[in-house]
Amino acid sequence: MNNSNALYNSLLKDAVNEKNKLTAKTLNKIIKIYESTADDLLKKASTSRGFTRAWTKDYERYIKYKILELNNELAKVSDSSIRTSAEIAASVQGDFLSYINNKYTLDIDKSMLEFAYTTNEKLIGQIIQGGFYKDNRSLSDRIWSYGNQNGKDIQYILTKGMAEQKSYLEIIKDLEKFLKSNTDPDFKKTYTKLYNRKVDYNAQRLLRTAMNHMFYVQNVSNAKNNPYAEAMHWELSAEHGTRQVDRFGEDECDDYANSDYYNLGQGNFPPDKVPVPHPNCLCIQTIVIPKSLDEIGRELGEWINGKDISYLDEWLKVG
Ligand SMILES: [Zn+2]
């Protein structure tokens, strides 16, 4: 492996780590948002002196309002974390070029360097608006349907409790179990419909997946635009053996990493043919750069000094 590969892919791996940290932080935020919604719902319920019809009507409105608030907050968090995920991926290309610029004192125009850091707005839109997915559903649409389901589940607990003439304290306890930790075996018997449906589970999974997809599509977009990238390489995650192969056998990732479908070398794909990673896949799509840093630096230098190199015009087109 030559030094340009090593540089690019070590920048890429740093970016993956950064994206993973951002994901952990984002999931934490989601948990907090759900917790505060749950606290408010329980607080309001505990001010009741008993569940009268009038009270439950009022509470129903309150649930709607809290779910609306929850959905809005989740949508905000997901938009910003997806944008940041794209920025982290785009920074790999920017840092790569900056490194070469410094190493060979090329004096590349600042606007060009900035351009190398820009995200692909179209792809961000496709992830957020849903065009990337077969069903075309936007993230906010998915978030709304989870929120509505949460609201229905809460309603179901109230209605069922009242039909069974439970005391309002018992009902609140059930509500608390559902909203806080939904693993009590008695709760399981009573509410089979709800069991194990952690209230924040779907939103967490949705965001984790979307952030991974965003990083992936931006990373592929960088490679597609980069004239020095000959291919992308499917690198199995370090935990692939213990998490996957030892427990469940090989999966499609082993196939990607071990095949040479395009005669570009084992595990290599043209950038526009790299498969989309399955959910929870931790493999990395690195890029293959045949030219060394010296060669790339020399070429960029000649281009800056006026030599006509059309693929560099293409790559660093500004404006
Ligand atoms: Zn994988």
Side-chain angles (χ1 to χ4, degrees), residues 234 236 240 251 253 278 281-283:
W234 196 276
L236 291 172
H240 185 74
D251 68 2
C253 296
H278 61 76
C281 174
L282 297 174
C283 299

Side-chain angles (χ1 to χ4, degrees), residues 233-236 240 245 250-261 265-269:
H233 177 75
W234 196 276
E235 186 177 307
L236 291 172
H240 185 74
V245 182
E250 297 195 340
D251 68 2
E252 68 246 47
C253 296
D254 293 279
D255 184 33
Y256 304 150
N258 295 322
S259 311
D260 182 7
Y261 294 116
Q266 186 185 322
N268 293 352
F269 294 81

Side-chain angles (χ1 to χ4, degrees), residues 3-4 96-97 99-108 228 290-309 311-312 315:
N3 58 356
S4 56
F96 180 71
L97 197 64
Y99 180 92
I100 296 173
N101 184 43
N102 291 335
K103 185 174 165 73
Y104 302 100
T105 48
L106 296 175
D107 213 13
I108 297 179
Y228 296 111
K291 285 187 176 158
S292 69
L293 284 175
D294 282 355
E295 289 171 292
I296 297 172
R298 195 179 314 126
E299 243 182 51
L300 280 166
E302 290 168 350
W303 178 66
I304 282 160
N305 289 322
K307 188 174 171 189
D308 188 20
I309 304 177
Y311 57 76
L312 290 179
W315 186 30

Side-chain angles (χ1 to χ4, degrees), residues 104-265:
Y104 302 100
T105 48
L106 296 175
D107 213 13
I108 297 179
D109 197 72
K110 202 169 158 254
S111 61
M112 254 173 224
L113 283 178
E114 274 167 14
F115 182 74
Y117 280 96
T118 52
T119 52
N120 187 326
E121 283 301 310
K122 194 177 145 207
L123 293 175
I124 294 176
Q126 283 176 355
I127 298 286
I128 293 177
Q129 300 307 324
F132 177 75
Y133 300 100
K134 274 197 194 94
D135 63 4
N136 254 309
R137 284 181 69 203
S138 68
L139 280 184
S140 63
D141 190 32
R142 287 174 212 271
I143 288 170
W144 278 79
S145 71
Y146 297 150
N148 289 341
Q149 187 58 48
N150 293 148
K152 272 187 209 150
D153 287 347
I154 295 167
Q155 206 69 58
Y156 170 72
I157 292 172
L158 293 178
T159 314
K160 188 170 158 69
M162 279 166 29
E164 288 169 3
Q165 303 197 318
K166 287 187 174 180
S167 77
Y168 85 95
L169 281 176
E170 280 177 291
I171 297 178
I172 290 172
K173 253 212 171 92
D174 282 349
L175 206 52
E176 188 170 0
K177 279 178 194 161
F178 172 62
L179 290 169
K180 296 289 188 171
S181 72
N182 183 356
T183 48
D184 172 358
D186 285 337
F187 189 81
K188 176 186 177 179
K189 268 180 233 146
T190 324
Y191 299 100
T192 43
K193 240 181 87 181
L194 305 177
Y195 184 66
N196 257 350
R197 197 186 285 158
K198 269 181 69 190
V199 276
D200 55 3
Y201 174 79
N202 285 323
Q204 285 202 54
R205 190 191 50 187
L206 174 70
L207 249 265
R208 181 190 286 122
T209 309
M211 288 172 75
N212 282 342
H213 282 152
M214 187 67 247
F215 188 92
Y216 162 83
V217 291
Q218 180 66 55
N219 180 33
V220 171
S221 166
N222 294 344
K224 277 185 195 163
N225 292 328
N226 188 333
Y228 296 111
E230 185 188 70
M232 293 195 90
H233 177 75
W234 196 276
E235 186 177 307
L236 291 172
S237 83
E239 296 107 284
H240 185 74
T242 48
R243 277 175 90 236
Q244 174 63 40
V245 182
D246 295 352
R247 293 159 69 195
F248 312 108
E250 297 195 340
D251 68 2
E252 68 246 47
C253 296
D254 293 279
D255 184 33
Y256 304 150
N258 295 322
S259 311
D260 182 7
Y261 294 116
Y262 299 93
N263 284 319
L264 289 168

